[in-house]
Amino acid sequence: MEIIFETQSVEQTEKLGASLGKLLFEGDFLALTGDLGAGKTAFTRGIARGLGMDELITSPTFTIINEYHDPVALAHMDAYRLKSLEELENIGFDDYLQGFIVVMEWADKVKEMLPTDVLWIDFTVLEDGRRRIRFTSDSPHYDKMIGELSK
Ligand SMILES: Nc1ncnc2c1ncn2[C@@H]1O[C@H](COP(=O)(O)OP(=O)(O)OP(=O)(O)O)[C@@H](O)[C@H]1O
Ligand SMILES: [Mg+2]
């Protein structure tokens, strides 16, 4: 199943992230893709807000993984600077696959490492600066989630 949204501003992108955040539970894995500056971190900021986090999230570009625990366990990852799959493994990637909501930017760089069932979210910058945000699901679980999101 595929659902496409278009946002006019960073605020709209964050708001869409917040709506999705309200639907997430431990064990969910969001695989974000799209160009530099397309809005992946902005969307993740919205997710955090939707989860009820007060803390402002910052991009984990250099740290690879930032984790948050209040009020829920969220792992925000960025695979952009990873040099190898081993590096991700050594950071303890597997430990985040249970008990956390995982949001990974540049997830297509480490496709081989991802769980079989993830929600893909792709960001494209349109000519006029709007963002096209495409959700692709392969499972009843995420189909249901993006169905809720489009209501
Ligand atoms: N509709 C929009 N949605 C999201 N961001 C937008 C939009 N319009 C303009 N912007 C701007 O685009 C930038 C998006 O930056 P952001 O850090 O979220 O991108 P990113 O995809 O995480 O990039 P990177 O790959 O470097 O991590 C921000 O400066 C934001 O203000
Ligand atoms: Mg980013």
Side-chain angles (χ1 to χ4, degrees):
M1 185 165 151
E2 178 183 274
I3 290 181
I4 295 174
F5 291 86
E6 284 179 10
T7 63
Q8 313 262 10
S9 64
V10 65
E11 289 80 15
Q12 275 187 18
T13 296
E14 285 189 28
K15 204 169 162 201
L16 183 62
S19 303
L20 181 62
K22 294 194 173 77
L23 304 173
L24 297 174
F25 292 95
E26 281 182 8
D28 285 334
F29 195 110
L30 309 183
L32 276 45
T33 61
D35 290 337
L36 282 169
K40 301 177 294 297
T41 299
F43 184 80
T44 308
R45 219 181 294 130
I47 289 175
R49 198 175 78 212
L51 289 171
M53 267 179 54
D54 293 329
E55 203 175 337
L56 200 64
I57 69 135
T58 55
S59 178
T61 306
F62 293 95
T63 51
I64 312 293
I65 302 178
N66 286 342
E67 54 173 281
Y68 305 88
H69 292 275
D70 187 29
V72 290
L74 170 71
H76 180 200
M77 309 184 180
D78 189 334
Y80 186 69
R81 284 183 187 276
L82 277 178
K83 302 232 164 38
S84 64
L85 297 178
E86 290 70 37
E87 195 184 340
L88 184 59
E89 219 167 85
N90 293 340
I91 291 172
F93 175 71
D94 288 346
D95 300 339
Y96 293 95
L97 298 180
Q98 280 168 13
F100 280 83
I101 293 163
V102 181
V103 180
M104 179 186 269
E105 301 189 33
W106 293 95
D108 46 333
K109 289 194 67 178
V110 295
K111 241 184 197 149
E112 300 92 325
M113 297 271 291
L114 305 186
T116 41
D117 187 23
V118 304
L119 178 59
W120 287 99
I121 309 176
D122 183 61
F123 296 74
T124 314
V125 181
L126 302 179
E127 272 162 27
D128 54 7
R130 284 177 304 138
R131 304 310 199 250
R132 175 175 296 144
I133 305 175
R134 194 180 75 215
F135 296 75
T136 315
S137 154
D138 255 340
S139 71
H141 175 66
Y142 291 120
D143 280 354
K144 186 162 174 254
M145 190 181 287
I146 60 181
E148 283 292 317
L149 188 63
S150 57
K151 277 181 191 159

